[in-house]
Amino acid sequence: TLAAQYTSAAPLIIATEAIRKARNNQQFLAAIHSATNLHVHLIDGTVEALLTFYGATYELYQEPSPPPQVAVLDLGGGSMELVTASHKQVTWHTSVPLGSGWLHDRYLQSDPPSQEDLEVAHTFLDTYLAGLHLKQHPFPLLIATGGSANSLLLLARQALNLPEQETRLTYEQIVRCEYLLGTYSAEEISQRYAQPLKRARILPAGALIMHALMVNL
């Protein structure tokens, strides 16, 4: 109904990781079609990664001198899509079942996360990412998309007094945000920095993943 207010074209509806993993995904998609007469396209991780890359780099590649080496991360709750590119050409991509929610549920049970849990999670991430063999080329720019990336940017703007228009975070700023997320409870982060409580709970895991990628890329 909402889409029909803006266009007469049929909407393109995409389902990703959560539906891919569901045992009854075909029945679910059939139920949507039966109720709405809309067809939902269930895409695999490769397609999801490439669509994310082209969407995330569109504005960057309009600039006169974009960086030659770029990596794009789409970090969700249950999966992570990662794409690397050289001179606007995709050189490598993957989709893995590692997300903020996944890491939180398995390694960061306490609130705020204990130092021991953080160290174990760091060790796991370093080992996991080493298996992806990412350090083939230096990637000075990591473009991150998804709820955790957006929430971390909003947190950094408030906690580190960054300009409202700032859209880039340095490694040092990520580490400072990690310290805050490891110091205060999810409820305190939610109240101090206007974060939804559910997002605040898994944000430490999202920050850990982005930190680990910045080290391993």
Side-chain angles (χ1 to χ4, degrees), residues 26-176:
Q26 292 306 312
Q27 295 95 317
F28 177 71
L29 298 179
I32 293 177
H33 186 268
S34 177
T36 65
N37 202 34
L38 294 172
H39 179 63
V40 180
H41 300 268
L42 180 59
I43 62 174
D44 63 25
T46 296
V47 173
E48 184 177 358
L50 294 177
L51 288 176
T52 298
F53 169 78
Y54 289 118
T57 59
Y58 177 81
E59 289 190 10
L60 176 70
Y61 287 149
Q62 306 307 306
E63 297 178 3
S65 299
Q69 310 291 342
V70 176
V72 173
L73 163 70
D74 182 17
L75 180 59
S79 72
M80 174 182 82
E81 284 68 49
L82 187 63
V83 184
T84 63
S86 178
H87 301 283
K88 304 183 182 181
Q89 299 298 314
V90 172
T91 55
W92 179 85
H93 60 81
T94 190
S95 176
V96 294
L98 168 65
S100 300
W102 186 95
L103 189 70
H104 169 270
D105 292 347
R106 285 159 180 78
Y107 291 98
L108 306 179
Q109 295 293 314
S110 58
D111 182 20
S114 68
Q115 187 60 38
E116 181 181 358
D117 286 351
L118 290 171
E119 290 175 359
V120 171
H122 265 298
T123 299
F124 163 76
L125 287 170
D126 287 342
T127 302
Y128 188 94
L129 295 176
L132 298 181
H133 306 291
L134 298 174
K135 285 190 174 180
Q136 298 176 8
H137 303 283
F139 291 93
L141 178 62
L142 172 66
I143 302 175
T145 68
S148 289
N150 186 58
S151 293
L152 192 63
L153 176 61
L154 295 177
L155 171 67
R157 284 175 178 169
Q158 294 187 55
L160 307 181
N161 296 315
L162 301 181
E164 190 66 26
Q165 66 274 18
E166 182 59 75
T167 61
R168 297 190 179 192
L169 297 179
T170 64
Y171 173 80
E172 289 75 15
Q173 290 166 339
I174 294 285
V175 171
R176 290 176 67 185

